[in-house]
Amino acid sequence: MANPSVSTILEDLAAAGKAYDQAEPGAREALIDRSRALVAALEMPSEFIQRSFWAEPALSAIIRIAVDVKLFQLLRDAGEAGLSASALAAKTGVDVVLLQRLTRHLVAMYLISFHHGAFHGTPLSDQLAADNYQDSISFCYDTARPSFNHFPTFFQNTHYHSPPVGSLNGPFQSAHRTPLHFFDWLVAHPPNLPHFDSFMSAYRAGKANWCDRGFYPVADRLIAGFDTTNGDGVLLVDVGGGRGHDMTIFTQQHPTHPGRIILQDREPVIAALDASAAPTTSPRAFTAQAHDFFTPQPVAGARAYYLHSILHDWDDARATHILRNLVPALRRGYSRVLLNEIVVRDDRPTLAATSMDLMMLAHFAVRERSAAEWRAILAAAGLRVVQIYSYPGVAESLIEAELA
Ligand SMILES: C[S@@+](CC[C@H](N)C(=O)[O-])C[C@H]1O[C@@H](n2cnc3c(N)ncnc32)[C@H](O)[C@@H]1O
């Protein structure tokens, strides 16, 4: 990719702005991408270092404090009146001098605003006040950031070699001084498991979903042809589905879908889900089942087995093992395997794909895969790709596969 001139980027921005006004899919993401390109083209080295290495680390540290003292919730609840520095100091318990210094930086970074003598939330900070984003901030700061901070030391020690694929001696283990796999460490170190589960439920929120119109043709590929002769038939099994956020969205998008929906995850995740269900809440649109995906799939003959961001956590051998555990459950010519995963492209890497690839390197010593690599691990399990569906502005694609 050649370095674009400022005037070229401005032309791109204008075009993306027009597309945004027309509500074209992907236009908002293109505007953000081009805005980043504009900053990169304009910044001098001193400004780049100031932003990347002081302003942004300070911003994320202050936001982590904001979680502890519920700053965004207080500003959201104050509404248009906002809160003066002394009122905010009294409510958060942060001394007023420190509070003013921290919040001033949040204003400078456009996260909150200050006018008429009071601090105010912005649409962004008001949304960040929601529990799932607050937990996501804690996960990213407490768990992920130390792993990234540890990259230089870790790779100096490996003489700049990748850790062995899937190794239990990667940047995460080194940063957190643990021999445990990431998923076991989350369980062993409360409250990191609920923080991670919230992060998974929230990090793509607002993006187009695989089951939205124009992405994967659910009506044609899943609902048409669903076997209604078995009154108890299963439409979808969400394997490693976390708290079931994808299945909740699916049932909202397709409320008249036939068949049952089953959510599977590890026992601690399902137990936490059951424990959090208030007795008064309406019944879930899916059944939750504890299942270890390294063991054979217990639900046979479903229309589809859906794995979202599952195989990217594992090296090829273990990813193939997970797929092979599905194979005996698949009905030939009927059952589909749906992988919702990033498909890496060298020609046009996106920030969403590269940052997730580095998240995988940091925490699992694995990688995001190209289309050829996806085809290879599916083939190793006796499956074949039917089609890969993508959507503008969405990092992940829907890979539909079936028995080879
Ligand atoms: C990256 S998260 C993806 C969650 C969800 N599918 C999504 O995309 O939001 C990986 C999920 O795999 C689950 N998991 C990890 N090991 C598992 C195992 N052996 N059996 C079943 N689920 C497992 C985790 O608990 C977690 O919910």
Side-chain angles (χ1 to χ4, degrees), residues 291-324:
H291 167 61
D292 176 355
F293 51 49
F294 288 109
T295 63
Q297 173 56 238
V299 179
R303 179 69 163 139
Y305 297 84
Y306 172 81
L307 291 81
H308 193 174
S309 301
I310 298 300
L311 301 185
H312 81 155
D313 290 341
W314 303 97
D315 58 78
D316 288 358
R318 279 178 283 189
T320 307
H321 184 179
I322 294 169
L323 288 171
R324 284 203 181 117

Side-chain angles (χ1 to χ4, degrees), residues 181 183 193 196-197 200-201 203-204 238-243 245-246 264-267 269 291-294 306-310 312-314 340 360 364 396:
H181 187 279
F183 286 128
L193 178 66
F196 173 73
D197 287 337
M200 286 312 305
S201 73
Y203 93 91
R204 334 173 178 89
D238 187 359
V239 182
R243 292 181 182 160
H245 34 274
D246 277 356
Q264 298 177 336
D265 209 292
R266 296 179 299 158
E267 198 279 327
V269 176
H291 167 61
D292 176 355
F293 51 49
F294 288 109
Y306 172 81
L307 291 81
H308 193 174
S309 301
I310 298 300
H312 81 155
D313 290 341
W314 303 97
N340 196 344
M360 294 299 104
F364 300 98
E396 290 150 340

